[in-house]
Amino acid sequence: MNDNELIVVGYDGSHEADRAVQWAARLANKRKCPLQVVHCSLWPVITHNLEPVPGIAESGLRHAAESVVSEGVARVHEVSADVEVTTSLVYGWPAENLRKLASHASLLVVGTRGIGGFLGLLVGSVSLELAATAACPVAVIGPVERPGGPVVVGIDGEDWEATLRYAASFAHQAQASLRVVHVRRKHDGHDPAEGPGAREMLDSALRTVRNTSPGLEVADVLLTGTSVAGTLLSAASDAQVVVVGSSGLGLVKGSIGSTAHAVLHHAGCPVIVVRHTKP
């Protein structure tokens, strides 16, 4: 993390977006880095008539979109007047615009938009698409806040180093402890075969954290469960943030994988997806 990093946050005026922009503002204030508030308007897709209605002040779709941007900045200033804020008002599909604008960002922040908790599913299509395709890590901000909790990171058998390094760096910046969790999957009621692999991976993870982030309080947890995501979230019940990795190699092109997908849907607290691109 450095002073030149940029945080980009999407804002549409919803309650979910309020939470996202204020979470992003708190992070930008702590990191002393700039924050870019982005509003994506779909109105030009529907109509080209964006100008004010004759004789009615402060009317028109363009004015409405500009008002949303101003509201987003106001939400930032409710958190801190010291955050350096820039804005972007763009037109078209939100995921595409946010992905482009965050191409050189250190973090892209979005809110949850979905079907309001039916079967516990909260995350909307834009958030999922960005988590699967953005070049930078993506934070999806849920309704649960635990500011004093640990940063919890789930690691698996491959490509865990980048996820762990990001989580350790985030925990250091947040002055929080780090909890490293690995879940061995239980199949058909049978525990996985005992072996040194999982323990060695966690030991290696702890050494990595202690070498790269000396002084950071870190603990490891080795669990067994039929659901990797569910078991991970049980270990993260007190977390302020959950960090998961994704190879982006799900069954559907651009999907983030079943574990990261389930964690995003059910965590409640902010989830950061660190995507690993294959060479």
Side-chain angles (χ1 to χ4, degrees):
M1 310 271 182
N2 59 66
D3 291 340
N4 296 320
E5 65 183 0
L6 170 68
I7 297 173
V8 174
V9 58
Y11 185 74
D12 63 4
S14 66
H15 292 303
E16 295 87 352
D18 283 346
R19 286 194 295 264
V21 80
Q22 293 190 319
W23 187 90
R26 287 191 291 270
L27 188 62
N29 184 57
K30 183 169 290 188
R31 295 182 179 180
K32 307 302 180 187
C33 73
L35 176 65
Q36 183 177 3
V37 177
V38 179
H39 175 53
C40 304
S41 174
L42 286 170
W43 282 115
V45 178
I46 302 170
T47 177
H48 294 293
N49 185 13
L50 305 179
E51 301 309 318
V53 177
I56 302 179
E58 299 185 348
S59 63
L61 299 176
R62 191 186 308 279
H63 176 78
E66 291 169 349
S67 296
V68 172
V69 175
S70 298
E71 184 180 303
V73 174
R75 293 288 182 268
V76 173
H77 289 158
E78 289 174 1
V79 172
S80 172
D82 298 327
V83 175
E84 178 188 341
V85 186
T86 60
T87 62
S88 294
L89 172 57
V90 292
Y91 300 98
W93 180 239
E96 180 180 352
N97 280 307
L98 285 166
R99 183 167 54 247
K100 290 178 180 177
L101 289 168
S103 60
H104 300 293
S106 61
L107 183 66
L108 172 59
V109 182
V110 291
T112 56
R113 290 299 300 271
I115 51 179
F118 178 71
L119 296 181
L121 303 181
L122 296 172
V123 179
S125 60
V126 172
S127 301
L128 285 173
E129 181 175 343
L130 287 168
T133 61
C136 66
V138 175
V140 181
I141 310 306
V144 178
E145 294 189 23
R146 306 185 190 104
V151 173
V152 174
V153 55
I155 64 172
D156 56 19
E158 46 185 56
D159 295 327
W160 55 264
E161 291 91 346
T163 307
L164 177 68
R165 285 195 298 270
Y166 185 90
S169 181
F170 189 97
H172 175 77
Q173 198 78 18
Q175 299 180 327
S177 63
L178 178 68
R179 184 179 301 157
V180 185
V181 180
H182 173 64
V183 179
R184 298 181 300 177
R185 188 187 297 275
K186 182 189 297 184
H187 295 283
D188 300 324
H190 299 290
D191 288 342
E194 292 294 332
R199 184 67 262 166
E200 288 180 349
M201 178 176 60
L202 282 171
D203 289 343
S204 177
L206 291 182
R207 287 194 298 271
T208 297
V209 172
R210 288 166 179 156
N211 289 334
T212 58
S213 302
L216 180 65
E217 180 184 344
V218 57
D220 67 294
V221 180
L222 176 59
L223 298 171
T224 300
T226 54
S227 165
V228 173
T231 307
L232 171 61
L233 288 175
S234 293
S237 60
D238 59 343
Q240 63 169 281
V241 171
V242 177
V243 181
V244 291
S246 170
S247 64
L249 296 177
L251 294 176
V252 179
K253 182 180 179 181
S255 67
I256 59 175
S258 59
T259 297
H261 188 278
V263 169
L264 274 174
H265 274 308
H266 296 286
C269 69
V271 176
I272 299 178
V273 178
V274 180
R275 193 167 66 92
H276 312 137
T277 56
K278 300 292 184 181

